Amino acid sequence: MEETHDNDALPNNKPSTEQDITDELELRSKKYRRGEGANVKGLKDKKLRSQMLAREKLYGETAIVAAKTEKWIMPSEAGYIEPEGIEKTDTIKQDAIAREVDIASLRNQYDITLPEFGPYTLDFTSSGRYMALGGRKGHLAIVDMMNLSLIRDFQVRETVRDVVFLHNELFFAAAQKKYLYIYSREGTELHCLKEHGSVLKLQFLKNHFLLASTNNYGMLLYQDVTMGAIVGKYRTGLGRTNVMQVNPYNAVVSLGHSAGTVTMWKPTSSSPLVKMLCHQGPVSALAFHSNGHIMATAGVDKKIKLWDLRKYEAFQTLPGYANTLEFSQKGFLACGTNSYLQVLRDVSGAQNYSRYMTHSMAKGYQIGKLAFRPYEDVLCIGHSMGYSSIIIPGAGEPNFDSWVANPFETPKQRSEKEIKALLDKLPPETIMLDPSKIGTVKDTKKEKLTAQEREEEMEAAIEAVKSKKLKKKTKGRSKAGKIMPKKQDAIANAKRPFLEQKIQEEKNISRKKQKTNEGVELPRSLQRFAHRKPSS
């Protein structure tokens, strides 16, 4: 067993001359360039030609800067297990990995047994330094993963179904038996959110500061944690579900339902953006790739499917059942069921996942939640007897950006980052399936509505007018005999633009028919009935 790196095309030895360094930077900068440069030889406009040349020069300098950053500031490279001969990676056990890794990595292999409080669910901060634990029997804890120290643990004495961190490690939310609670890192109860009801699953949208939950009655609810306002509250209409995940690419919340469907929601729409049939039975687990274009689903029909969300079709179907799925930063897919888990990896990069590693828990351990620790080759497992951690080589991103996620940030850096995040907070309206449309010009050309859509719009306008309350006036001007004509006039005004549009379309259709009839020569016996233009 040996460890190799992804970037094998680059020279491994240290460059000795300035020319070698230049050649290496040129080789590294190729992946940061925007394809072939624009051909400006045929341009006659001198101003446009100079602008294009300046733009191409800027692109080249940007690629060189990115290559220098990769070489000098980000020296770590992602590694993975490469078997020797006929050896297979899925046969390598954690004991064999423990004998090869250093002492610091060996600390990431442990098994904490807490049988009286399990099964456990867990969540990490974006930097991967802190972990929140929630035991089904009411145990809540915050753990510093860098030095494996317990910051705070306490007992709430009621069922805990899910936990999730908010924008940083100072606050986390716990879905308890009756209500949703928000706690500080010290264990102080800050808020009790009764509007959410009996919550089953939680997700936090960090760029929008929205806490999303689905409860026991099939309700999906969004709450802004900065202002405390309810942004959206919708009934899914597909029953109770405890399968919920957020797409990191566009912040769209996806739910898996008992009918085998997956629905995708945004906080400003009362109906799902997408509703796709994924399995022939209930959906048991759901996960998204870090690029947001790949979705993995598992169902009771004992199939694990991988979907391309750009085409909404499955590109691979694997046999097996999983009650929890999780993607790592490097695209590894972890599937867990009962006491067994397997990690799948796309070796060739052609969307063909195969088994990379496997791990069997002790007999009687029932896996409840899998979570990869960010920026580490570590997979944490919440199970019925506590929580465990194993090493998955190559799963985590080796280089972190301190402006995005800094495991070593100080309290001052954390406060400055929080203020900047609040200033850059995105409104709920920016959540959409294709976020690249933000900032583009909307096409003013209106699509022709069908008769049913026009009727629905007219009914919505009429309902809006009916629900509008009129101001109360004194001296007998608010009597029913005077209010009813006003409401009827308002309803007529709301109907008028739709009726006028319909009349105009009918006129256009009749005019087109008349033109086509004029172009057709009638038989001689019917020519005397044809419409003739008046002579001038």
Side-chain angles (χ1 to χ4, degrees), residues 395-411:
E397 175 65 38
N399 302 291
F400 64 87
D401 187 353
S402 60
W403 292 101
V404 177
N406 184 10
F408 307 97
E409 66 181 1
T410 62

Side-chain angles (χ1 to χ4, degrees), residues 276-295:
M276 51 192 298
L277 180 63
C278 298
H279 294 274
Q280 295 180 355
V283 178
S284 59
L286 180 68
F288 286 98
H289 195 282
S290 56
N291 61 16
H293 302 315
I294 298 177
M295 179 180 70

Side-chain angles (χ1 to χ4, degrees), residues 51-229:
Q51 290 177 348
M52 295 288 288
L53 289 173
R55 186 63 58 85
E56 290 297 329
K57 182 180 178 182
L58 181 62
Y59 288 160
E61 291 175 353
T62 305
I64 293 294
V65 170
K68 288 181 178 179
T69 303
E70 180 187 356
K71 177 175 174 56
W72 303 114
I73 301 179
M74 298 194 302
S76 300
E77 297 175 357
Y80 57 92
I81 297 176
E82 183 176 343
E84 296 178 349
I86 61 173
E87 186 183 16
K88 294 183 178 180
T89 57
D90 59 343
T91 61
I92 298 172
K93 303 299 181 184
Q94 290 295 312
D95 296 338
I97 295 176
R99 290 193 295 267
E100 302 294 335
V101 298
D102 57 335
I103 297 175
S105 299
L106 189 60
R107 297 176 62 201
N108 292 321
Q109 281 186 342
Y110 54 83
D111 185 12
I112 307 298
T113 56
L114 298 167
E116 62 274 13
F117 300 127
Y120 274 85
T121 182
L122 47 93
D123 186 50
F124 285 100
T125 56
S126 58
S127 64
R129 176 164 183 176
Y130 298 95
M131 178 176 68
L133 284 167
R136 186 79 174 183
K137 305 294 177 58
H139 181 218
L140 295 174
I142 302 293
V143 182
D144 187 345
M145 301 299 292
M146 187 166 291
N147 50 21
L148 295 179
S149 63
L150 182 65
I151 296 176
R152 181 69 63 183
D153 72 321
F154 54 98
Q155 177 65 246
V156 296
R157 298 182 181 275
E158 64 178 0
T159 303
V160 175
R161 298 187 182 93
D162 199 8
V163 291
V164 66
F165 274 112
L166 301 188
H167 54 282
N168 56 28
E169 71 275 8
L170 297 181
F171 308 98
F172 70 97
Q176 295 178 205
K177 184 177 181 180
K178 289 183 66 177
Y179 303 120
L180 172 63
Y181 292 86
I182 294 179
Y183 296 95
S184 68
R185 188 170 69 168
E186 287 73 23
T188 306
E189 180 185 325
L190 301 178
H191 300 285
C192 175
L193 308 180
K194 296 184 179 181
E195 299 87 352
H196 293 253
S198 182
V199 175
L200 299 177
K201 211 70 177 175
L202 287 171
Q203 290 293 328
F204 184 71
L205 286 61
K206 60 180 181 179
N207 293 328
H208 306 79
F209 283 81
L210 292 178
L211 182 62
S213 69
T214 176
N215 63 17
N216 207 10
Y217 305 103
M219 298 287 293
L220 176 63
L221 194 142
Y222 292 86
Q223 184 157 10
D224 190 338
V225 298
T226 59
M227 305 297 292

Side-chain angles (χ1 to χ4, degrees), residues 499-510:
L499 298 176
E500 290 177 353
Q501 185 180 1
K502 186 177 180 180
I503 294 170
Q504 186 64 33
E505 288 180 359
E506 290 176 353
K507 285 183 179 178
N508 293 337
I509 292 171
S510 62

